[in-house]
Amino acid sequence: MGKSTVDASAGFGLRDKLAYAAGDFGCNMSFALKGYLTIYWTQFMGIDNYLMASLLLIVQIWDAINDPIIGAMVDADTHKYRRNKFLAYIWFGAIGLTVAGALCYLPFPQAPSMVKNILFVAGYMIWDAFYTVANVPYGSMLSLISDDPIQRAQLSTFRSIGSMGGGLLTGMLIPVIIYDNQNNLRGEQMFVIALIMGVIGLVCFRFMVTNTKVRVDTTITLKEDAPKFNVMKAFNNFIHNRPAVGATLAPIATFIGMYGASTAGQILFQAYFKNAKISGLVGMISYFGVFSPFVGRIVKRFGKKEAVTFGSVVCALAYVLMLVLPITPDGRGLSLYVLCQIIAMLGGGIGNCLSWSLMADAIDYNEWKFGVREEGTTYALHSFFRKLAQGIGPSLGLVLATKLGYDASLKAAQTIEVATRMRYLVPVMYLGSYIVMIIAYGVVFNLDKKTLAQMESDLKERRAKNEK
């Protein structure tokens, strides 16, 4: 089983946190571009809305299946790497991501319909393969950098800051570049933007790989007759791991709500507020919640489970307000919309800071409960369900928007009736997701402050015996 080194927190400091943040900054140089796929392929490339919804779901199913396969491959890999096998996989995936993101935005709007369908599916699958190779081991790294709960919370916070940095850069700049003065999409810009983001991401990954120090030794010495790694057993362990299930159900809800609302949100700014260029800036408000200098104190005083549950309640109340307040298609309405997003940011910031730390605790819980670490598989299964949600969300959102009258061929010239329906679809999608998150964190996730302390104590004692 996994064991700590003599002092698993030795030398831990700002360098570790910056390196871990750089990893998710690099990931988000590619990942943030996903938010523009639906608009790009329907409004610029001309794929039918319902066909696009189907293609999105198909590629995300592959995306989801891909994760546990690679996670199991990482766990089963016994090759001796110079530093760490997780870092080796991360760097290989990062090299591929340099150009893979651009393949999702090949600008051939005059191509035959079947060719466009193939370009989308092939480009996405290539991008996803490299992203998974980098991201699954990256998520597993948090539990290996330190086993101290406060330091893990700090790493999780810095990961969220890195994610925010990538999201802010793409979210604020891309809408300004790709929308013209009539709020219509200039899709030909996306290919070059994706290439530039890929290069920036590679630099960030290099910084992360070079400056990451592994302190928690998870080397397992197997007896000759010990059973080999079993994927089905690992999956069974996962579904009986309540912290892992709760910490997975919450982002499932988040992604269905967030991506489900993304198409409606872009139409909202194109046709309701008639200011698409500021959509990225307003959308980035939620990221500022990660700047919580008190997250360590909050965890120490109340506990992780308690904090993220409270944050989800605040978010749900924010979107209730967005539904009932008079958000009109003018400056006053936009101000109320931003106010609701700020309230949601205050609650969501707690979850943004701690969500990855919860998965590190779930990996420890797997060891505590079942006697095996399975970092790669546990995180990969977590990612598997997240990826399914990332496909279901935009597909569901696009179908609902189309049912409510959205016509991609009209671009920014949607009717006011359709635009008004988008104004209500956005908070409905978010509200539903946060209700599920309250259940996931408050009921399913069972590592409250007291239980977490007991688990950490038992694992330290067990690892100390294993070292002897």
Side-chain angles (χ1 to χ4, degrees):
M1 68 184 65
K3 59 184 185 293
S4 299
T5 56
V6 175
D7 185 354
S9 63
F12 181 88
L14 181 61
R15 183 174 180 176
D16 296 276
K17 292 180 276 191
L18 290 175
Y20 201 63
D24 217 25
F25 188 98
C27 284
N28 273 275
M29 286 296 95
S30 276
F31 188 77
L33 291 168
K34 286 184 66 175
Y36 301 93
L37 281 174
T38 300
I39 292 293
Y40 176 84
W41 285 93
T42 57
Q43 290 192 7
F44 179 71
M45 293 293 285
I47 292 182
D48 174 77
N49 287 357
Y50 289 115
L51 176 58
M52 185 63 196
S54 301
L55 293 177
L56 282 169
L57 194 56
I58 289 170
V59 295
Q60 285 294 160
I61 290 173
W62 157 248
D63 193 352
I65 294 172
N66 188 22
D67 277 22
I69 293 174
I70 290 179
M73 179 181 70
V74 173
D75 278 339
D77 186 352
T78 58
H79 179 76
K80 297 295 183 181
Y81 292 90
R82 186 172 63 87
R83 290 185 60 204
N84 178 270
K85 69 178 178 180
F86 292 97
L87 294 174
Y89 277 96
I90 290 167
W91 181 238
F92 176 74
I95 293 172
L97 280 178
T98 305
V99 297
L103 298 180
C104 296
Y105 292 97
L106 292 172
F108 299 110
Q110 305 304 321
S113 296
M114 183 56 67
V115 172
K116 287 189 283 190
N117 297 342
I118 293 172
L119 285 175
F120 170 73
V121 173
Y124 189 94
M125 292 180 72
I126 293 170
W127 169 82
D128 173 65
F130 285 110
Y131 184 84
T132 303
V133 169
N135 188 251
V136 167
Y138 170 74
S140 303
M141 281 301 304
L142 189 149
S143 64
L144 305 182
I145 297 173
S146 173
D147 64 358
D148 181 270
I150 301 301
Q151 291 175 357
R152 284 184 172 181
Q154 292 171 343
L155 286 170
S156 185
T157 298
F158 269 77
R159 174 174 183 171
S160 296
I161 292 174
S163 173
M164 180 211 67
L168 278 174
L169 181 61
T170 56
M172 289 192 298
L173 295 181
I174 291 177
V176 175
I177 298 171
I178 65 174
Y179 289 111
D180 62 25
N181 292 332
Q182 287 73 47
N183 297 300
N184 291 315
L185 184 71
R186 295 187 297 183
E188 65 277 359
Q189 305 289 333
M190 292 300 299
F191 180 78
V192 176
I193 291 172
L195 279 178
I196 294 172
M197 294 300 100
V199 173
I200 295 173
L202 184 67
V203 173
C204 294
F205 273 117
R206 188 62 201 168
F207 179 81
M208 182 261 173
V209 169
T210 302
N211 291 280
T212 295
K213 182 178 180 180
V214 177
R215 295 178 177 82
V216 180
D217 180 11
T218 60
T219 303
I220 300 174
T221 302
L222 295 177
K223 299 177 180 178
E224 291 184 1
D225 60 346
K228 294 182 179 180
F229 177 77
N230 188 312
V231 175
M232 294 306 298
K233 185 176 180 181
F235 180 79
N236 184 65
N237 289 346
F238 179 87
I239 62 177
H240 288 90
N241 183 333
R242 280 185 58 181
V245 173
T248 301
L249 181 60
I252 286 174
T254 298
F255 283 123
I256 291 178
M258 179 175 69
Y259 285 105
S262 64
T263 299
Q266 289 173 351
I267 301 168
L268 180 72
F269 279 90
Q270 278 185 311
Y272 192 72
F273 293 128
K274 297 188 182 301
N275 197 339
K277 290 188 176 183
I278 69 165
S279 60
L281 179 61
V282 174
M284 290 302 103
I285 289 174
S286 61
Y287 280 96
F288 287 103
V290 304
F291 282 123
S292 177
F294 308 110
V295 67
R297 296 180 185 178
I298 291 172
V299 170
K300 189 173 182 179
R301 175 67 178 84
F302 299 103
K304 298 178 188 178
K305 167 188 168 75
E306 296 80 358
V308 293
T309 303
F310 174 76
S312 299
V313 171
V314 173
C315 289
L317 292 176
Y319 290 109
V320 169
L321 286 176
M322 189 178 287
L323 270 175
V324 301
L325 289 176
I327 298 178
T328 50
D330 53 24
R332 180 175 177 272
L334 179 58
S335 298
L336 289 174
Y337 180 89
V338 171
L339 174 63
C340 293
Q341 293 286 39
I342 290 174
I343 296 172
M345 170 269 289
L346 295 174
I350 299 173
N352 289 339
C353 288
L354 296 176
S355 60
W356 302 111
S357 178
L358 297 179
M359 275 310 299
D361 293 337
I363 290 171
D364 280 350
Y365 183 89
N366 198 81
E367 179 184 352
W368 186 45
K369 199 76 172 177
F370 306 113
V372 288
R373 292 280 303 177
E374 299 172 337
E375 291 101 336
T377 305
T378 301
Y379 183 81
L381 287 168
H382 170 75
S383 185
F384 169 85
F385 292 109
R386 285 167 61 101
K387 295 289 183 66
L388 279 181
Q390 290 168 22
I392 293 170
S395 297
L396 177 62
L398 181 56
V399 168
L400 290 176
T402 304
K403 289 288 186 183
L404 293 173
Y406 167 56
D407 183 350
S409 66
L410 296 177
K411 299 182 179 179
Q414 309 293 320
T415 66
I416 188 59
E417 291 80 12
V418 170
T420 301
R421 291 167 193 157
M422 300 304 106
R423 170 259 181 276
Y424 287 102
L425 181 57
V426 169
V428 165
M429 295 295 292
Y430 275 113
L431 178 59
S433 72
Y434 280 106
I435 290 173
V436 175
M437 287 180 68
I438 292 169
I439 297 171
Y441 287 139
V443 179
V444 180
F445 191 90
N446 62 341
L447 285 179
D448 57 21
K449 185 180 180 182
K450 182 179 179 181
T451 306
L452 181 61
Q454 183 63 53
M455 180 185 76
E456 291 162 355
S457 175
D458 290 348
L459 284 176
K460 285 184 178 180
E461 182 179 348
R462 192 184 301 175
R463 290 166 179 169
K465 289 180 180 179
N466 189 58
E467 289 177 348
K468 294 179 180 179

